[in-house]
């Protein structure tokens, strides 16, 4: 049984060691109004259950907090940037534990086209190359595979244009970045734009044998990150009505992974 709640633990629950790392990063209850009745840890456990199991919010188990409450916290923390801040903090701390600088000097950019379910929202499209209707997840990851930036958009936006959306915050967000690896879909105007706007060098990694699977030098790291994300059933497809909700779930998924690694390194 969990010491803070009289129920058996779910595999998705945070452990005591993981909660010790995460608790200082989670917004504290307001001191105004009624005292909080639900522990922050149980709110996090409810969100992680939905992420890992892929179930709709309304099918939250009865021994976890009410689904409306858990969803409201997830939404509020999405809107105020909490998930992104937690993800950024854990990434920097984990890099330090691995003997790296907080901010990377090199990374990889790639996208993953994912099918959408029958959700509301217009930010969907047809990826003619992948022959798939849905959205694209665009990532910039460091050489460890930790995401620096996440952006989700309609699948009919080409990679070179989606890459600009990914990096829309500008070079100040990447103080040490000097080099990126990309595939041939980003060659041409996008690679020129990066060099002009950011001053980064760009290396195009081309397939040696087209239409055949092969491990691509350096770029296999970002492909592994996509596989990490896809282990969560909620992210096996895009079930969200809004792209920023998809981005928030990706931040939560990668934060969960980094939290597990951190707890082992510091435990």
């Amino acid at each position: 049984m969990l010491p803070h709640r009289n129920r058996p633990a779910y595999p998705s629950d945070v452990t005591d060691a993981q909660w010790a790392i995460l608790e200082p990063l989670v917004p504290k209850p307001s001191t105004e109004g009624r005292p909080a009745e639900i522990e922050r840890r149980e709110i996090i456990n409810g969100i992680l259950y939905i992420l890992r199991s892929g179930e709709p919010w309304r099918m939250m188990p009865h021994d976890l907090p009410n689904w409306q409450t858990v969803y409201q916290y997830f939404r509020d923390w999405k809107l105020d940037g909490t998930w992104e801040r937690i993800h950024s903090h854990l990434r920097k701390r984990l890099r330090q534990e691995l003997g790296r600088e907080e901010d990377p000097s090199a990374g990889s950019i790639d996208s993953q086209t994912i099918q959408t379910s029958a959700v509301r929202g217009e930010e969907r499209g047809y990826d003619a190359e992948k022959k798939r209707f849905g959205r694209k997840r665009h990532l910039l990851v460091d050489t460890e595979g930790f995401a620096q930036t996440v952006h989700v958009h309609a699948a009919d936006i080409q990679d070179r244009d989606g890459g600009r959306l990914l990096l829309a915050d500008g070079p100040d967000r990447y103080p040490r970045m000097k080099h990126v690896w990309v595939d041939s879909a980003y060659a041409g105007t996008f690679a020129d734009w990066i060099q002009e706007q950011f001053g980064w060098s760009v290396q195009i990694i081309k397939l040696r044998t087209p239409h055949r699977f092969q491990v691509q030098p350096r770029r296999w790291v970002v492909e592994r990150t996509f596989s990490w994300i896809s282990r969560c059933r909620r992210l096996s497809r895009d079930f969200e009505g809004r792209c920023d909700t998809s981005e928030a779930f990706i931040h939560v998924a990668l934060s969960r992974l980094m939290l597990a690694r951190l707890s082992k390194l510091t435990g």
Side-chain angles (χ1 to χ4, degrees), residues 113 122-129 132-136 153-159 161-162:
T113 300
E122 299 179 355
E123 293 178 295
R124 294 178 289 168
Y126 183 71
D127 184 341
E129 182 179 354
R132 184 175 297 177
F133 184 83
R135 291 176 177 154
K136 282 185 180 179
H153 55 77
D156 57 356
I157 297 177
Q158 296 188 24
D159 284 352
D161 299 319

Side-chain angles (χ1 to χ4, degrees), residues 106-224:
S108 297
I109 295 175
D110 202 3
S111 71
Q112 177 193 46
T113 300
I114 194 79
Q115 287 182 303
T116 51
S117 61
V119 297
R120 69 185 191 282
E122 299 179 355
E123 293 178 295
R124 294 178 289 168
Y126 183 71
D127 184 341
E129 182 179 354
K130 301 294 178 60
K131 296 179 175 58
R132 184 175 297 177
F133 184 83
R135 291 176 177 154
K136 282 185 180 179
R137 298 165 177 165
H138 242 107
L139 298 183
L140 166 61
V141 306
D142 61 19
T143 53
E144 296 287 342
F146 307 142
Q148 290 290 115
T149 312
V150 176
H151 188 75
V152 179
H153 55 77
D156 57 356
I157 297 177
Q158 296 188 24
D159 284 352
R160 61 175 178 267
D161 299 319
R164 296 193 185 202
L165 296 174
L166 177 73
L167 303 176
D169 288 341
D172 292 343
R173 185 166 182 164
Y174 318 98
R176 297 186 65 251
M177 190 70 71
K178 297 179 180 178
H179 182 80
V180 289
W181 292 278
V182 298
D183 66 20
S184 55
Y186 299 89
T189 57
F190 177 73
D192 295 338
W193 177 79
I194 284 187
Q195 292 170 338
E196 293 172 2
Q197 299 293 321
F198 293 78
W200 303 345
S201 58
V202 180
Q203 183 176 350
I204 310 295
I205 306 297
K206 297 182 179 180
L207 287 173
R208 294 185 294 272
T209 307
H211 310 297
R212 178 182 175 186
F213 173 79
Q214 55 197 273
V215 177
Q216 300 179 51
R218 293 289 185 177
R219 292 197 59 261
W220 64 269
V221 177
V222 65
E223 298 294 346
R224 183 184 61 180

Side-chain angles (χ1 to χ4, degrees), residues 209-263:
T209 307
H211 310 297
R212 178 182 175 186
F213 173 79
Q214 55 197 273
V215 177
Q216 300 179 51
R218 293 289 185 177
R219 292 197 59 261
W220 64 269
V221 177
V222 65
E223 298 294 346
R224 183 184 61 180
T225 304
F226 284 126
S227 72
W228 289 342
I229 293 171
S230 298
R231 291 177 185 175
C232 299
R233 285 196 171 187
R234 186 77 184 197
L235 294 170
S236 61
R237 296 182 71 174
D238 195 322
F239 294 98
E240 315 310 325
R242 294 172 55 95
C243 288
D244 59 353
T245 304
S246 298
E247 292 168 5
F249 268 121
I250 292 172
H251 282 128
V252 176
L254 294 177
S255 295
R256 183 71 175 87
L257 183 144
M258 292 187 291
L259 190 62
R261 292 189 62 178
L262 264 175
S263 64

Side-chain angles (χ1 to χ4, degrees), residues 4-100:
H4 62 291
R5 185 156 177 101
N6 188 28
R7 66 169 177 83
Y10 289 104
S12 55
D13 286 352
V14 291
T15 65
D16 290 340
Q18 292 165 3
W19 182 240
I21 297 171
L22 184 60
E23 184 178 16
L25 308 177
V26 176
K28 301 295 187 291
S30 174
T31 56
E32 300 178 359
R34 293 173 54 188
E37 298 179 357
I38 302 175
E39 298 177 5
R40 287 294 192 261
R41 181 169 177 175
E42 280 293 82
I43 297 294
I44 295 294
N45 285 337
I47 293 168
L48 293 177
Y49 180 89
I50 294 297
L51 172 70
R52 188 67 183 88
S53 68
E55 292 186 3
W57 287 102
R58 288 172 175 80
M59 294 183 67
M60 182 84 69
H62 296 302
D63 54 358
L64 285 168
N66 180 276
W67 76 266
Q68 290 102 326
T69 301
V70 177
Y71 171 75
Q72 186 63 49
Y73 277 103
F74 172 81
R75 182 178 182 275
D76 289 346
W77 292 343
K78 174 191 74 172
L79 295 175
D80 68 11
T82 293
W83 296 123
E84 189 170 0
R85 286 193 295 272
I86 289 174
H87 176 269
S88 178
H89 177 91
L90 293 175
R91 184 192 71 242
K92 291 180 178 181
R93 182 172 174 184
L94 182 52
R95 283 182 59 87
Q96 287 182 319
E97 291 292 335
L98 295 173
R100 313 296 293 271

